[in-house]
Amino acid sequence: MTGLPRSVRVARAAFRTVAQLLPRSFRERWHDEADADACEAFRQAHDRAGAVGVARAAVTAVFDVLRAAPGEWWADLASTHSGTAGTEPRERMMNVTREFRHAARALLRRPAYAGTAALTLALGIGATVAIFAVVHAVVIRPLPYPDAHELVTVTHRAPGLDLPELNNSDGTLRFYRERASDYMPKQAAYGRGERNLVGTDRPERVEVVVAGPGLFDVLRTPPLLGRGFHPDDALEDAPATAILTHETWRSRFAADPGVLGTFVQVDGERTEIVGVMPPGFLFPDADVDLYMPLYVDPEGPFGRFGTSMVARLAPGVRVEDASVRTEELQAGLPDFFPGISPEFLESAAWGVSLTPLQEVIVGERVASALWIILGTVGVVLLIACANVANLFLVRAESRQKELAIRAAMGAGGRRLATGFLAEALLLGLTGGALGMALAAGGVDLLVSVGPERLPRLHEVGLDAVTLAFGAAITVGAAVLLGAVPLIRHAGDGLAGILRDGGRSATDGRGRHRARNLLVASQLALALVLLVGSGLMLRSFQALQSVDPGFDPANVTSVGLSLDESEGGPEAARFFSRVADEVAAMPGVAAVGITAHVPAGGGSSNGGSFYIESQPRDESPGALPPVAMYKAIGADYLGVIRQRLVEGRDLARADWEGGRPVALVNQTFAERFFDGRALGERIKWDEDEEFAEIVGVVADVREYGLREDVRPMAYLPMVVGDWGYPGLSRMHLLVRSEGSVAVSVPAIRDLVLRLDADVPVTDVRTLDQVLADDMAETSFTMVLLAIASGVALFLGAIGLFGVISYVVGQRTREIGVRVALGAERGEIRGMVLRQGGVVAVAGVAVGLLGGWALSAVMGAVLYGVSSTDPATFVGAPLVLLGVATLATWLPARRASRVDPVVALRSD
């Protein structure tokens, strides 16, 4: 076993542990063979897809065991039922069925107990299944492409240039096509963008993926109708063609098969529809509306990294091996690109990452958050099971005399065990059925309120695997419930049952030990969830406290999109005219224009640039300065109230033929000019004019609150023939007067009057932009808070129930104490101490569990330590406060016991 990969060893150990749920007779016959088969399956999965493949194979193997366990236990009980040895199978089954009828009648006689237990289980099972449905659809289930584990992406990094992630250039695409074809035989480039679509009932702004001709071949998914892209479609001067997604074909073209060969206008260009993709094909996500061919320059340079790449590994090639080989290839870049030196790559800390496509689409932070949430609701299920187990223990102890009589009449241990299991299974199945109904509603709710950026959200649903998971945890919960009273009486045998049946329920403290242990476990698990939700709350507060660098109140963003071919001075004049007319509308205080909404996650242009006073060092290994830039229009700073630190704002004369000027943020000024940027001149293209820096503005979180501020320049939309190139899409930022809402329909009518082919899209307030940026964190926080609240409630109910039960059983003892002169305060203190011991034990264990949880939450936290003192102090105090309240109520009742009534009732 030592020669196996670590992931295989871990999966094998997990399989062996779960296999203990099977009956001993079954394990004695098949354990060795099943263990060998599972180990071989894990080894093959590792060879195909590494640790991810092993994880999937392990989940499948565990589900197989859980599905088989109930049937094997049923067969084992039926074949070895006490007193039925040698009888016919039909008679054995009738004996087991009789136990189920007896259990059903017993539960119906106690509807409050049965209903409480079933609903508690339903809550835990429903929440767990609903979250598992999301985790399975988003993280576990392979992408909907054949042999999806072979799909990878290639990205680069150059931290020395302050570029943490780079995609590919036309040059690197050619490099990998020529140098990596032996282990990545199929490669395709693609990019994202937006285009104007005219040809339906109204002009629309649609999401477009521009793709190399081999994309559908790499993904092994041909069009449902028509054809894919031919190599000729991707030539520079080829006629425009497009392939529709199935949803676009259905919603915008009424699923008309005759759409093939028809023409639409895409960014003003006559475009032929040549294909329709099958349903469910939404690469890389559900926002895509159509695909268009991508032109890749066959002689493209090393730079301009704006294109993504997806590749399919050769059969049998592991991701780890391909990553190593791709890293080794980087040493050949200087030979392939004469202008690139080894010293430059070393100074830039150049590196490459080859990542499974599924990990790229899902994202590490999303995957971590979903696994944490699933673990959280799993803890809620455990707490629910512990609560029901406590009820089950009380129920079992109340039946001691009945069990003693049945044992005296010849019912053996297995028959009594069957009775417990029958009752537990009925409760579990009832709770499971209710839980699945809750899960169905929960899944719909999660899909409707989940963050829009959550990948693969459209794939979430109750599929066969999720239903099997629900069935497995239902049966597992039922088996655990049935085992609790058996464990409680383990070793007692028939004599123990007879002895307990004749004793008073108040005898000894040992009787309450199991219930106290369950309640302490509940409180410990509840504290773990309180710590997790506390850390997320602190993280959310940290995000909210981040200064975005602008004032979002009363500002609405409205997207305007021209055809891509219409950029330049004419586009700038159109956007300015719209802004001027909107500014004259009632209730509008000011209007600004920007290429990208601040904190909206848009990708500004940028790259290396030139500084007039600092000639570039052309020596090998020298790195050029790198910064981002974006276009803005008049009044932009005033609308978002971005602070001017020094110098002046851009004036209208700067847009109307004045000399080239620019604004830069404080990070830009500090990094490149030691804070003295005014009067310096910069440019991004060697052939254009230098622009003078006339002002320094405060830093803005352009890429989101979590992202670091990067050097940013703000350029006027256009100055004569100089300025921001290719302006085809801009955003109006409209600040309203006070709380008066901006009239978006009036803006739409205005734009329609000026140009009927310009769609108005992406209407959001800047408050919504910030809320969207924090959506993943707030979504995780809310779910953890709900789970921890439910856990705390169940834990408090469990503690309240146990202490109330103990007080009820000790009523006579308390009456005697009061009759002998015990003070009411002493009685309350006695009960409070008993509850306090349980609560403190739960806190001690829960703090260890909370520390373990915090260690895996680093990927989803922001601005807070995983060992945040406020959380680790506040959460136990909250738990102890709730526990004290739960104990105080029965303690108060105990202190009011009338000794005369107590002694008389005995």
Side-chain angles (χ1 to χ4, degrees):
M1 186 170 174
T2 56
L4 297 174
R6 183 174 182 273
S7 59
V8 174
R9 296 199 303 271
V10 172
R12 189 180 187 184
F15 175 79
R16 286 178 168 180
T17 301
V18 176
Q20 298 302 309
L21 294 174
L22 294 166
R24 178 182 297 177
S25 58
F26 181 89
R27 297 200 307 271
E28 289 175 350
R29 293 196 309 271
W30 302 107
H31 180 271
D32 291 342
E33 182 177 342
D35 181 61
D37 290 343
C39 182
E40 182 60 27
F42 297 154
R43 192 201 305 270
Q44 292 178 3
H46 185 275
D47 291 340
R48 289 194 306 270
V52 174
V54 174
R56 293 171 184 154
V59 170
T60 301
V62 168
F63 279 169
D64 289 342
V65 171
L66 294 176
R67 283 197 296 265
E72 295 300 332
W73 273 105
W74 184 283
D76 183 72
L77 288 171
S79 62
T80 59
H81 202 287
S82 179
T84 62
T87 58
E88 294 297 324
R90 177 182 177 84
E91 184 179 348
R92 298 178 203 159
M93 192 59 66
M94 288 178 62
N95 288 327
V96 176
T97 305
R98 189 180 300 115
E99 293 294 340
F100 274 89
R101 289 201 301 268
H102 177 77
R105 288 195 298 269
L107 291 174
L108 289 174
R109 286 195 298 268
R110 293 170 177 79
Y113 156 74
T116 301
L119 287 174
T120 303
L121 285 175
L123 180 65
I125 291 172
T128 305
V129 171
I131 297 298
F132 177 82
V134 178
V135 173
H136 178 252
V138 176
V139 182
I140 300 175
R141 183 195 295 156
L143 296 174
Y145 316 115
D147 298 318
H149 64 276
E150 297 176 352
L151 297 173
V152 297
T153 64
V154 177
T155 57
H156 307 89
R157 57 189 178 276
L161 287 168
D162 193 25
L163 297 172
E165 182 173 288
L166 293 166
N167 282 317
N168 284 271
S169 65
D170 289 358
T172 60
L173 290 171
R174 176 166 52 93
F175 175 75
Y176 292 120
R177 188 169 59 249
E178 296 183 14
R179 299 287 180 92
S181 59
D182 56 333
Y183 64 93
M184 290 194 298
K186 294 184 178 181
Q187 306 170 19
Y190 69 95
R192 297 292 298 268
E194 294 182 339
R195 306 283 176 85
N196 286 356
L197 173 65
V198 180
T200 57
D201 56 346
R202 66 186 186 282
E204 298 178 89
R205 191 70 174 174
V206 295
E207 288 280 342
V208 176
V209 167
V210 287
L215 177 65
F216 305 126
D217 187 32
V218 170
L219 300 176
R220 293 182 183 170
T221 308
L224 175 69
L225 300 176
R227 64 173 179 86
F229 294 129
H230 294 155
D232 291 346
D233 295 325
L235 297 178
E236 189 171 13
D237 297 322
T241 55
I243 296 175
L244 307 177
T245 65
H246 195 273
E247 175 60 25
T248 301
W249 177 56
R250 186 189 62 78
S251 62
R252 292 184 172 91
F253 297 92
D256 179 14
V259 72
L260 297 180
T262 62
F263 290 86
V264 293
Q265 295 288 322
V266 179
D267 266 355
E269 188 173 9
R270 189 170 183 265
T271 304
E272 181 184 4
I273 298 175
V274 298
V276 175
M277 296 307 295
F281 182 89
L282 296 168
F283 178 84
D285 55 46
D287 294 332
V288 178
D289 295 297
L290 56 87
Y291 299 88
M292 299 186 70
L294 170 67
Y295 169 72
V296 176
D297 185 353
E299 302 297 327
F302 174 74
R304 299 181 182 177
F305 296 87
T307 306
S308 300
M309 185 182 88
V310 60
R312 183 174 288 277
L313 299 179
V317 175
R318 300 187 308 163
V319 173
E320 294 85 354
D321 296 335
S323 295
V324 172
R325 297 179 65 177
T326 305
E327 188 70 49
E328 292 171 348
L329 284 179
Q330 305 308 301
L333 286 173
D335 294 334
F336 198 86
F337 299 101
I340 302 300
S341 68
E343 293 82 4
F344 173 82
L345 296 178
E346 183 177 356
S347 299
W350 179 264
V352 65
S353 298
L354 191 145
T355 311
L357 179 63
Q358 182 153 350
E359 293 183 19
V360 173
I361 289 178
V362 174
E364 179 185 1
R365 197 166 68 221
V366 170
S368 298
L370 289 179
W371 280 118
I372 290 170
I373 293 171
L374 180 60
T376 297
V377 295
V379 169
V380 172
L381 176 60
L382 288 177
I383 294 174
C385 288
N387 233 336
V388 176
N390 249 327
L391 292 174
F392 212 67
L393 269 178
V394 173
R395 164 97 170 116
E397 291 181 0
S398 69
R399 297 174 61 193
Q400 288 297 321
K401 292 182 179 179
E402 172 198 341
L403 296 175
I405 293 172
R406 294 183 67 188
M409 296 178 64
R414 282 190 178 274
R415 187 159 187 173
L416 295 178
T418 304
F420 282 126
L421 287 174
E423 188 168 317
L425 282 171
L426 287 176
L427 281 176
L429 293 175
T430 303
L434 293 173
M436 295 304 287
L438 290 176
V443 167
D444 292 340
L445 180 63
L446 288 171
V447 171
S448 63
V449 304
E452 292 183 2
R453 297 180 185 179
L454 188 65
R456 308 183 71 184
L457 192 61
H458 64 285
E459 299 181 32
V460 176
L462 293 182
D463 59 4
V465 174
T466 304
L467 294 175
F469 174 82
I473 63 173
T474 296
V475 173
V479 171
L480 287 175
L481 290 179
V484 166
L486 302 181
I487 296 173
R488 163 69 180 82
H489 294 289
D492 288 355
L494 177 59
I497 294 175
L498 287 168
R499 181 177 64 251
D500 286 348
R503 290 171 55 181
S504 169
T506 62
D507 290 343
R509 297 182 179 178
R511 179 178 297 277
H512 307 302
R513 198 167 296 152
R515 290 194 301 274
N516 288 341
L517 179 61
L518 285 172
V519 172
S521 300
Q522 286 179 268
L523 295 177
L525 292 172
L527 181 56
V528 171
L529 299 193
L530 281 175
V531 168
S533 61
L535 289 173
M536 286 306 304
L537 175 61
R538 296 274 290 163
S539 185
F540 184 73
Q541 290 174 335
L543 268 179
Q544 283 189 313
S545 65
V546 171
D547 181 9
F550 60 91
D551 178 11
N554 304 320
V555 178
T556 301
S557 169
V558 181
L560 300 178
S561 304
L562 300 175
D563 293 341
E564 197 169 81
S565 59
E566 297 184 58
E570 289 298 324
R573 280 190 282 272
F574 173 79
F575 292 131
S576 296
R577 181 180 177 186
V578 173
D580 289 342
E581 296 205 23
V582 171
M585 290 182 175
V588 175
V591 179
I593 308 175
T594 179
H596 299 285
V597 178
S603 56
S604 301
N605 287 344
S608 62
F609 66 99
Y610 297 84
I611 301 174
E612 187 179 39
S613 64
Q614 302 174 20
R616 281 195 179 181
D617 184 352
E618 301 296 339
S619 63
L623 299 178
V626 174
M628 312 305 290
Y629 62 88
K630 76 174 187 177
I632 61 173
D635 301 326
Y636 172 76
L637 296 185
V639 170
I640 69 169
R641 295 176 180 169
Q642 184 176 0
R643 185 168 56 89
L644 182 67
V645 177
E646 60 177 335
R648 68 171 178 86
D649 192 359
L650 299 178
R652 283 194 174 261
D654 297 323
W655 281 269
E656 297 169 356
R659 59 192 175 86
V661 294
L663 302 176
V664 298
N665 66 357
Q666 287 175 287
T667 297
F668 191 111
E670 291 292 339
R671 182 168 301 180
F672 303 117
F673 303 108
D674 293 327
R676 296 181 294 273
L678 291 183
E680 295 284 353
R681 288 157 56 89
I682 56 176
K683 65 178 180 179
W684 268 262
D685 193 304
E686 192 172 8
D687 297 328
E688 68 186 18
E689 294 182 64
F690 279 103
E692 180 184 351
I693 298 174
V694 297
V696 177
V697 297
D699 289 335
V700 164
R701 301 274 179 161
E702 295 284 352
Y703 302 102
L705 298 179
R706 282 179 173 268
E707 304 300 324
D708 294 333
V709 175
R710 303 182 65 181
M712 173 68 69
Y714 300 88
L715 308 180
M717 285 190 295
V718 69
V719 179
D721 294 328
W722 180 94
Y724 195 97
L727 282 173
S728 60
R729 176 168 174 79
M730 297 293 282
H731 296 265
L732 295 182
L733 298 182
V734 185
R735 178 172 289 278
S736 59
E737 295 177 347
S739 59
V740 179
V742 173
S743 176
V744 176
I747 295 177
R748 291 185 190 275
D749 292 340
L750 167 63
V751 174
L752 181 65
R753 175 169 55 81
L754 296 178
D755 190 333
D757 291 335
V758 175
V760 174
T761 61
D762 195 22
V763 178
R764 296 184 294 171
T765 66
L766 291 194
D767 284 322
Q768 288 174 322
V769 171
L770 293 179
D772 290 343
D773 185 61
M774 295 188 291
E776 290 179 9
T777 299
S778 60
F779 181 69
T780 305
M781 179 194 69
V782 169
L783 290 183
L784 284 176
I786 292 173
S788 60
V790 171
L792 187 60
F793 173 75
L794 291 176
I797 290 296
L799 182 61
F800 173 80
V802 164
I803 300 301
S804 295
Y805 178 77
V806 170
V807 169
Q809 296 294 349
R810 299 178 66 183
T811 299
R812 182 176 181 276
E813 174 195 340
I814 293 171
V816 171
R817 286 174 179 266
V818 173
L820 292 176
E823 296 290 336
R824 304 286 181 180
E826 294 178 13
I827 300 299
R828 282 196 299 269
M830 177 187 68
V831 177
L832 286 171
R833 280 194 300 273
Q834 185 169 356
V837 169
V838 176
V840 169
V843 167
V845 177
L847 283 174
L848 294 176
W851 176 81
L853 174 64
S854 68
V856 301
M857 290 186 66
V860 298
L861 297 180
Y862 175 84
V864 62
S865 167
S866 59
T867 55
D868 177 52
T871 300
F872 277 85
V873 171
L877 289 178
V878 170
L879 181 69
L880 289 173
V882 173
T884 300
L885 178 62
T887 307
W888 171 260
L889 297 176
R892 182 170 174 270
R893 180 164 62 90
S895 67
R896 295 184 175 185
V897 168
D898 187 334
V900 176
V901 175
L903 294 172
R904 183 181 300 159
S905 63
D906 189 62

